[in-house]
Amino acid sequence: MKITVVGAGAVGATCADNIARKELAEELVLLDIKEGFAEGKAIDMMQTSALLGFNTKIKGVTNDYSKTAGSAVAVITSGLPRKPGMTREELIGINAGIVKSVAENILQFSPDAILIIVSNPMDTMTYLSLKSLGLPKNRIIGMGGTLDSARFKYYLSVAMNCNSNDLQGFVIGGHGDTTMIPLTRYATYQSLNVTDLLAEDVLAKVAADTMVGGATLTGLLGTSAWYAPGAAVCALVESIVRDEKKLFTCSVSLEGEYHQTDICLGVPVIVGRTGWEKVIDYNLTEEEQAAFNKSADAVRSMNNVLKEMKLI
């Protein structure tokens, strides 16, 4: 088993570190465009192997995709964050070029690889990959909802003063502050509905905190988070390589599911050896479906930038 992570920044390196510690691959390739950066991160991580007891071989490379040949899974974290004064269109245009180039290079040497897209705007970069690469839809997975759902369970655990591992909860919709939808109605604590355990105003605050979870950390850290995003990617990789068939929220191609078509959006899916295997229908209420449709409209407006710029 061989896995590639493209982008050796904070998220990519944390993802690689988690994959190595869990021994999900015999070989893990960390690739970056910055000379020596991935090599340095790889050596640093490999020097922990004698202390942590893992056997995965981590190799860092600078922009040499031939070293990624034969990868079963490739994680794409490459891209620029939005900078002051940069328009949404500029960000999408720059990152679309990066993601498309990275994906094409990966597939040149690993034509059967499953792609996990982390680059932002994540739903739009997943849609770009779907439309431009010609891969079966099940091999293109956007990570965002997996992270959002983990944040949802964290805020629920704080409100309930309980262990987050005893909670189930999902966030659907777009991976953005105003587009994600925490499904509070379905959240449970050891099979008990949290709606019966928390006051309505407390549950509303949990949902609101979840939606701005990423922005909250950016405000505190001065940069985007990396521990939880890296762990979220690793959880998806683990479900793929071990064929665990776990349920995650992922941005995937919708062809009528949840009343949406021609879009990649966060919905609950089973993830296994072949990628995402099927969408699970949570039977949304009229209000939840309206929120999901509104989220889809917002994501579709960003996708339209790709069409206007003739990137797809």
Side-chain angles (χ1 to χ4, degrees), residues 10-30:
V11 174
T14 303
C15 167
D17 187 45
N18 276 281
I19 290 170
R21 290 183 189 222
K22 283 179 170 283
E23 296 188 314
L24 300 181
E26 293 172 302
E27 182 180 358
L28 191 152
V29 178
L30 187 60

Side-chain angles (χ1 to χ4, degrees), residues 136-159:
K137 63 182 182 178
N138 65 294
R139 285 170 51 196
I140 300 174
I141 302 172
M143 179 277 289
T146 304
L147 170 61
D148 298 332
S149 298
R151 287 173 171 163
F152 182 34
K153 285 185 273 192
Y154 162 73
Y155 284 112
L156 277 173
S157 73
V158 171

Side-chain angles (χ1 to χ4, degrees), residues 122-124 126-128 130 140 174 251-254 262-266 299 303:
M122 190 275 309
D123 296 291
T124 296
T126 305
Y127 182 74
L128 167 77
L130 175 75
I140 300 174
S251 186
V252 301
S253 172
L254 299 182
D262 190 30
I263 194 170
C264 291
L265 209 56
V299 170
N303 293 349

Side-chain angles (χ1 to χ4, degrees), residues 4 14 18 51 71-72 91-93 100 103 112 117 174 176 184-185 216 226 228 231 233 238 269 283 288 303-304:
T4 288
T14 303
N18 276 281
L51 301 168
S71 295
L91 177 66
I92 291 174
K100 186 176 180 180
D112 298 322
I117 311 298
T184 55
R185 180 169 64 94
T216 298
W226 59 91
V233 178
E238 184 171 18
V269 296
N283 296 312
E288 290 164 346
N303 293 349
N304 287 338

Side-chain angles (χ1 to χ4, degrees), residues 130-257:
L130 175 75
K131 289 295 183 181
S132 62
L133 299 175
L135 293 180
K137 63 182 182 178
N138 65 294
R139 285 170 51 196
I140 300 174
I141 302 172
M143 179 277 289
T146 304
L147 170 61
D148 298 332
S149 298
R151 287 173 171 163
F152 182 34
K153 285 185 273 192
Y154 162 73
Y155 284 112
L156 277 173
S157 73
V158 171
M160 297 177 63
N161 191 28
C162 72
N163 191 315
S164 60
N165 292 302
D166 288 335
L167 293 164
Q168 286 294 330
F170 288 92
V171 176
I172 62 172
H175 180 55
D177 294 356
T178 60
T179 55
M180 70 178 75
I181 306 157
L183 288 179
T184 55
R185 180 169 64 94
Y186 278 113
T188 60
Y189 170 69
Q190 293 287 36
S191 300
L192 299 172
N193 292 329
V194 299
T195 51
D196 295 330
L197 303 173
L198 292 176
E200 190 174 331
D201 62 325
V202 175
L203 203 49
K205 185 178 186 306
V206 167
D209 288 344
T210 299
M211 293 176 73
V212 296
T216 298
L217 289 171
T218 300
L220 292 169
L221 298 169
T223 185
S224 298
W226 59 91
Y227 292 119
V233 178
C234 180
L236 291 176
V237 171
E238 184 171 18
S239 195
I240 292 168
V241 302
R242 292 184 173 159
D243 197 24
E244 292 180 330
K245 301 190 186 304
K246 284 188 174 180
L247 183 65
F248 293 98
T249 300
C250 298
S251 186
V252 301
S253 172
L254 299 182
E255 298 176 346
E257 300 92 344

